[in-house]
Amino acid sequence: KSVFGKKRLSDLKNYSLNKISHQIKSKSILIAGRKESNLLIERVKDAHKKLENSKMIMVPGAKHDIGQKDYQEMLKKIISKL
């Protein structure tokens, strides 16, 4: 069973971080939940390697749901440090 819909799969094929990562110079924060699918976690790790100025944060116990309390608490911590 795929975790992506048809439109999302099409977007992923058309917009490659490999093609644009060298153009991204700003600081980036990549956030993923520890309970995300392995595919999504690997994509975040790959993006972190490719984006020169990135920071990767893994939220313990969180799934792919920004409405989840763990995600929201982590976002509050990140924003308060900006």
Side-chain angles (χ1 to χ4, degrees):
K1 181 178 171 183
S2 176
V3 295
F4 299 112
K6 289 180 184 178
K7 175 151 179 23
R8 182 71 176 142
L9 282 174
S10 174
D11 288 345
L12 290 173
K13 290 176 185 174
N14 292 325
Y15 300 102
S16 170
L17 187 61
N18 292 329
K19 294 178 186 175
I20 64 169
S21 61
H22 66 280
Q23 298 172 1
I24 301 171
K25 304 296 181 200
S26 62
K27 291 182 181 179
S28 303
I29 301 172
L30 307 170
I31 304 170
R34 287 262 184 233
K35 291 187 176 181
E36 302 264 11
S37 72
N38 289 336
L39 175 62
L40 290 172
I41 290 173
E42 288 305 313
R43 288 184 61 83
V44 171
K45 288 179 180 179
D46 185 52
H48 177 56
K49 289 176 190 173
K50 292 176 181 167
L51 295 173
E52 199 173 297
N53 244 344
S54 69
K55 179 177 181 176
M56 182 176 69
I57 299 171
M58 299 299 289
V59 183
K63 297 179 182 178
H64 193 72
D65 180 4
I66 199 164
Q68 195 175 359
K69 186 177 179 179
D70 293 339
Y71 253 111
Q72 292 175 0
E73 291 301 318
M74 183 59 70
L75 289 174
K76 286 178 188 177
K77 287 179 186 179
I78 294 167
I79 292 168
S80 71
K81 293 178 182 181
L82 296 178

